[in-house]
Amino acid sequence: MLSIASVAGLYGFKAHLLHYVLFWMPTRDLLAQAQLEVKLNGIQEGKVLVVKWRKKPIFIYHRSQSIIDEERRSVNLSELRDPETDDRVKRPEWLVVIGTSTPNTTTYIAAVVEYSPKYSINSNETLKINSDEYVGFIEIANLYAVDIIVFPEAGLTTMNFPEREKLEDWTTIVPNASFNYIPCCQDIFKVSDVSQALRKISCAARSNKIYVVINIAEKELCSDEPCPRDKMFYYNTNVVFDRTGKIIARYRKTNLSKEYQFNVTTTPEVVSFDTDFGVKFGTFTCFDIYFRKPALQLTRDHQVTDFVYPTAWFSEVPFLTAVQLQAGWSFAENVNLLASGYNRPSFGNAGSGIYLGRRGIGKAIMPTITRKEILIFKVPKINIETQYTEDPYDPLKDQSQKVLLSHHQKEHDESRKKWENNIMIVNDKIRLLHDDTDIFETFPLEENITKNICQNNFCCDFRIEIAKIDPSIKYRLMVFNGHRSIPNNLVNDNVAVSSCSIIQCLNNSVSSCGSVQKSETVFNTIYITAKFDNPKTNLIMPSTLNPNLLPLNNEDWKFSVVDFFTENDRLHVTIYLNNPIDNLVTFGIYSRLFNTNSANRTSFDTINYFVMLLVALLLSRN
C-alpha cells in the first residue's frame, strides 16, 4: 500500500511541478524577441553561413563590393512582389535572410531562369562560362530565400552539339540517385568522367542550401548488346541537387526532337523527388510536355502536383508558343509548373514562367530579344485532397462571378494591371514556326454568328458577338481533328490532335492564319464548346494568345468541364469570355489524343528505342 501511495504522490508532485514550469516559461511575445548571436569573423567574403533560429534557417551572407554591385545591376526591383533595397541593412556587406519554407508552410519560394548560354568551340570553356553564370544566379536566388531554382535545357552546353564522335567531351557521368553521390566533395568516379560543371553546381547548391535543377548531356558506357559502335549511350538528362549538393534525381529525356546525337531509354523513365519543404516534384524535359509519357503519368498515375521543367522550346503559332503551352498544360492538369527556357529568339527559343494551375500565372516572360532573367515567385502549395474536388470553374460559380465582375469594373481593371505587371512584355522580333492551317476546316468570321463546324466526326459549336471590327485584320473559326506531322522527328512523326478555335489571319486566305498582329476587333462574347472522348487519357487545354505571345488574362475567360463520364465517357468542354477583349490572336480548346493500349504502347516504346539506337549506330560509323 505504501509503495502505491508513494507512486501516486510522485505523479502528483510531477504534475504540480510541470504546472509551475509552464507558468514561468517565457510567453510567445518574449520568444519572438529571443536573440541569436553569431560570430561574423569566421564567415569568409563571398560565403554564406546557415544557422537555425526557432527551427527556421537563417542565411548570413558576407558580400564583397563586386557582389553587391552585380546584384544591384541584375535584379529589377520593380518586378519583385515586395521590393526592398540594400538601404535596409546597416552594413551592406552583411545580408541576413530568414528562410520560411517548411512542410507546414502553405507556400515555397521558386526561381526559374530564362538564359541565353554562351558558346565556344571548346567544350571545357563553354561548360565553364555557363556554369559560372549558373552559380551567380544561385547566389542571387539565395538572397531571396529561394527553395528551388530551375535552369533551362542545354543551358550549360548550348544546342550547338558536335558530331557524335566528338560528343564525349561535352558530356558527364551522372550516377543514379541511389548512389547518394555529392559531386562537390566525393571522388568515387574518375575526375575525367565527371564534368567540372557538375561539381561546381553541386558545390553551389551545397553552399547556398538550395535545390538546383539543371539539364546536361550525360554519357553512360554500354555494357549489354546491342550497343552503338562507340560503346557509349548519350542522354539528354535533368539532374536535381538537394541542399547538400547531393544528386537526388536523374531523368533522361524520352521524347527527342531533332536530337540525333542522343539515345532514349528502353522504357520511358518516370522520375519524381521529395523536398524538405514538403513538396514532391516531377520532372521532364521540353518536348515531353506534348506526350503522355512521362508527363501525364506523373500527374494522373502518381498524383504529383509540382513540376520542374527545363526546356528549349521552338514556338509555333497559333497553338504552341512556349508560354501559351506551358500555361495551358499547367491549367489543364491543375499543377504548379516551374518552366525554365533556353533563350535564343532568332531561332524561336524563348519563354519561361512559374504557373499555378487553375490559379493562373504567377510570373512569366516571353522575350523576343536575347536576354537572361531570373523570375522569383512565392508558390502556393496544392492540396492533393482538394485538387479536383474544389473546382473553381464550376459553370454556376462562373455565372455569379461574371455578374460580380460586370458590376465591379474597377476591381477588374486593378486585377488586370496586377497580372500585366507579372507578365513581362517585349515587343520585337522572334522566329515562329507555323502550323499547317490549310488542312483545318474553317469558316470566315465577318459578323455575329452561331455555327457548328465539324471535321472527321469531331464537332465544335461557336457563338460569337463582335462589338467592333478592325478591317485590317481577319479572323476564322477553325476546327481540326486528325494527325499532324512533327518535322524532323524520327519516331513521333504523327500525333493526334483535336482543336476548336478562333484564329487571327493576315488576310482572307486560310494559309495566312496564325498571324500575330495587334487588332482593334473587339469581341463581346465568345462561346466555344466541344465533346471529347476518352477524357481520362487525353490532354485537354485552354489555348489563348495575344500579340505579345502571352496568354490572355485569366480574369477575361473561363474554362468549364461538365457532364463528366456521361454519354459513354464523353466530356463536354467550354471556353468562353468573361469580359470584352481585343488584340486576340488565338482563343480556343486544344487537345492531345493518346492511344493508351498497353500492348501498342510497349511496342511503340521498343520501336522508339531501337530506331534511336540505329540512328546512333549509323552516326557513330560515319
Side-chain angles (χ1 to χ4, degrees):
M1 290 293 292
L2 182 61
S3 62
I4 295 175
S6 299
V7 172
L10 287 172
Y11 272 102
F13 176 74
K14 176 185 175 183
H16 197 60
L17 181 62
L18 182 62
H19 170 77
Y20 279 101
V21 170
L22 293 174
F23 177 78
W24 288 108
M25 280 185 66
T27 58
R28 289 185 178 180
D29 59 333
L30 289 176
L31 283 173
Q33 300 174 33
Q35 295 183 352
L36 172 70
E37 293 188 4
V38 178
K39 292 183 178 180
L40 299 181
N41 56 10
I43 308 174
Q44 297 179 7
E45 193 173 75
K47 298 296 183 181
V48 178
L49 176 67
V50 183
V51 296
K52 289 280 188 177
W53 177 72
R54 300 194 67 197
K55 299 183 179 180
K56 294 180 180 179
I58 304 294
F59 301 87
I60 305 171
Y61 189 16
H62 188 183
R63 304 184 296 175
S64 65
Q65 188 59 47
S66 62
I67 292 173
I68 294 170
D69 294 340
E70 174 61 24
E71 287 163 1
R72 287 173 176 170
R73 284 194 302 269
S74 61
V75 178
N76 186 349
L77 292 178
S78 65
E79 296 167 357
L80 302 179
R81 295 183 68 189
D82 301 299
E84 291 282 357
T85 67
D86 272 349
D87 297 338
R88 71 193 190 281
V89 298
K90 294 182 179 180
R91 296 167 59 186
E93 68 269 25
W94 294 105
L95 185 66
V96 181
V97 179
I98 183 170
T100 57
S101 298
T102 70
N104 296 323
T105 56
T106 58
T107 62
Y108 63 90
I109 302 176
V112 299
V113 178
E114 172 90 7
Y115 182 64
S116 179
K118 297 177 176 63
Y119 173 74
S120 167
I121 57 173
N122 181 283
S123 59
N124 290 332
E125 183 67 17
T126 299
L127 287 163
K128 180 184 183 304
I129 292 171
N130 294 309
S131 59
D132 284 345
E133 292 269 6
Y134 277 26
V135 171
F137 281 114
I138 292 169
E139 290 173 345
I140 290 172
N142 183 28
L143 300 181
Y144 297 91
V146 166
D147 295 294
I148 186 166
I149 183 170
V150 187
F151 291 93
E153 180 183 26
L156 288 168
T157 56
T158 79
M159 298 174 67
N160 301 309
F161 282 113
E163 301 292 333
R164 183 178 171 97
E165 60 267 19
K166 299 178 181 179
L167 191 60
E168 186 173 1
D169 290 342
W170 294 80
T171 61
T172 180
I173 284 180
V174 181
N176 193 287
S178 62
F179 277 71
N180 293 314
Y181 176 50
I182 304 177
C184 178
C185 55
Q186 293 178 343
D187 294 319
I188 61 176
F189 299 97
K190 291 181 181 179
V191 174
S192 59
D193 285 340
V194 178
S195 165
Q196 287 302 311
L198 199 73
R199 297 182 190 276
K200 186 187 305 180
I201 294 168
S202 168
C203 291
R206 184 179 180 88
S207 62
N208 291 278
K209 300 293 187 271
I210 294 179
Y211 287 86
V212 178
V213 183
I214 65 168
N215 175 271
I216 198 166
E218 179 197 355
K219 62 183 176 183
E220 182 181 55
L221 189 64
C222 177
S223 56
D224 296 323
E225 295 294 338
C227 287
R229 185 180 179 185
D230 54 16
K231 300 293 182 180
M232 193 74 73
F233 286 127
Y234 294 112
Y235 297 106
N236 179 331
T237 300
N238 292 348
V239 185
V240 183
F241 303 92
D242 70 5
R243 297 189 201 268
T244 70
K246 180 173 68 177
I247 294 176
I248 60 169
R250 180 194 68 191
Y251 166 71
R252 293 160 171 173
K253 186 176 178 182
T254 298
N255 300 285
L256 301 177
S257 176
K258 309 177 187 178
E259 300 165 75
Y260 309 116
Q261 302 92 337
F262 289 122
N263 302 100
V264 295
T265 56
T266 310
T267 302
E269 295 183 338
V270 180
V271 175
S272 62
F273 60 94
D274 294 303
T275 61
D276 60 8
F277 49 93
V279 176
K280 179 190 286 290
F281 286 87
T283 184
F284 51 86
T285 311
C286 199
F287 205 35
D288 288 328
I289 201 171
Y290 201 56
F291 297 90
R292 183 175 183 274
K293 289 188 176 183
L296 299 190
Q297 286 180 304
L298 285 161
T299 59
R300 300 180 185 183
D301 299 341
H302 298 272
Q303 287 77 52
V304 177
T305 58
D306 293 71
F307 290 84
V308 289
Y309 175 60
T311 183
W313 191 261
F314 289 86
S315 285
E316 177 189 273
V317 288
F319 300 111
L320 299 178
T321 59
V323 174
Q324 175 188 21
L325 175 62
Q326 292 163 13
W329 188 89
S330 170
F331 185 101
E333 295 302 290
N334 196 21
V335 296
N336 294 325
L337 178 67
L338 314 182
S340 172
Y342 186 105
N343 181 267
R344 189 176 57 165
S346 60
F347 283 76
N349 308 114
S352 302
I354 298 174
Y355 308 91
L356 313 177
R358 293 175 187 169
R359 292 184 176 96
I361 299 176
K363 184 172 286 191
I365 182 173
M366 186 66 184
T368 55
I369 58 173
T370 301
R371 66 187 296 178
K372 55 185 179 181
E373 190 85 28
I374 182 170
L375 308 180
I376 300 173
F377 195 81
K378 186 177 288 186
V379 180
K381 294 179 182 177
I382 295 175
N383 184 345
I384 188 65
E385 295 179 356
T386 60
Q387 183 181 10
Y388 295 107
T389 56
E390 295 181 359
D391 186 356
Y393 297 93
D394 181 275
L396 296 178
K397 293 181 183 178
D398 290 342
Q399 293 303 316
S400 62
Q401 179 75 354
K402 185 176 181 181
V403 174
L404 176 67
L405 288 171
S406 65
H407 285 84
H408 295 79
Q409 190 63 39
K410 181 179 178 181
E411 287 88 340
H412 168 65
D413 291 342
E414 290 175 352
S415 174
R416 177 194 290 268
K417 185 177 180 181
K418 178 181 178 182
W419 179 87
E420 288 175 345
N421 286 338
N422 277 340
I423 304 294
M424 302 171 196
I425 298 173
V426 183
N427 292 312
D428 209 285
K429 298 292 182 183
I430 182 172
R431 180 177 180 270
L432 298 172
L433 302 173
H434 283 74
D435 200 352
D436 183 8
T437 52
D438 285 326
I439 61 177
F440 284 58
E441 192 71 31
T442 75
F443 189 86
L445 181 59
E446 298 171 344
E447 58 185 357
N448 296 347
I449 192 171
T450 298
K451 192 165 185 65
N452 176 269
I453 302 176
C454 301
Q455 186 183 71
N456 299 328
N457 299 318
F458 173 71
C459 297
C460 306
D461 292 306
F462 296 86
R463 180 162 66 86
I464 315 296
E465 294 178 6
I466 305 174
K468 177 185 176 182
I469 294 178
D470 182 343
S472 65
I473 298 294
K474 307 299 180 182
Y475 287 92
R476 280 185 176 266
L477 309 181
M478 307 190 74
V479 175
F480 180 78
N481 185 44
H483 288 79
R484 60 156 297 172
S485 63
I486 305 294
N488 300 315
N489 195 57
L490 291 174
V491 178
N492 300 317
D493 57 345
N494 281 282
V495 296
V497 173
S498 296
S499 65
C500 314
S501 57
I502 297 176
I503 302 296
Q504 184 189 112
C505 308
L506 202 55
N507 51 52
N508 289 321
S509 69
V510 176
S511 59
S512 75
C513 295
S515 64
V516 182
Q517 305 291 327
K518 291 187 179 298
S519 170
E520 295 183 4
T521 296
V522 177
F523 294 91
N524 269 351
T525 300
I526 301 178
Y527 264 82
I528 303 175
T529 301
K531 297 177 183 179
F532 292 88
D533 296 322
N534 303 316
K536 293 181 181 179
T537 58
N538 295 338
L539 173 65
I540 305 172
M541 303 180 288
S543 185
T544 70
L545 193 67
N546 68 22
N548 299 306
L549 299 177
L550 295 168
L552 303 185
N553 182 354
N554 268 35
E555 293 292 336
D556 288 332
W557 56 272
K558 292 298 179 186
F559 190 81
S560 70
V561 176
V562 296
D563 293 343
F564 200 73
F565 301 145
T566 62
E567 291 190 21
N568 298 320
D569 273 5
R570 302 200 82 193
L571 187 66
H572 294 230
V573 179
T574 301
I575 187 170
Y576 58 93
L577 286 182
N578 255 356
N579 301 286
I581 196 78
D582 60 1
N583 280 319
L584 191 67
V585 171
T586 301
F587 189 86
I589 305 166
Y590 189 89
S591 176
R592 278 283 286 114
L593 314 176
F594 303 107
N595 178 4
T596 58
N597 180 284
S598 58
N600 288 344
R601 186 67 228 186
T602 301
S603 175
F604 174 83
D605 292 337
T606 303
I607 293 171
N608 189 12
Y609 170 77
F610 280 108
V611 167
M612 296 308 297
L613 183 61
L614 177 60
V615 170
L617 182 63
L618 293 174
L619 288 174
S620 67
R621 288 180 175 175
N622 288 338

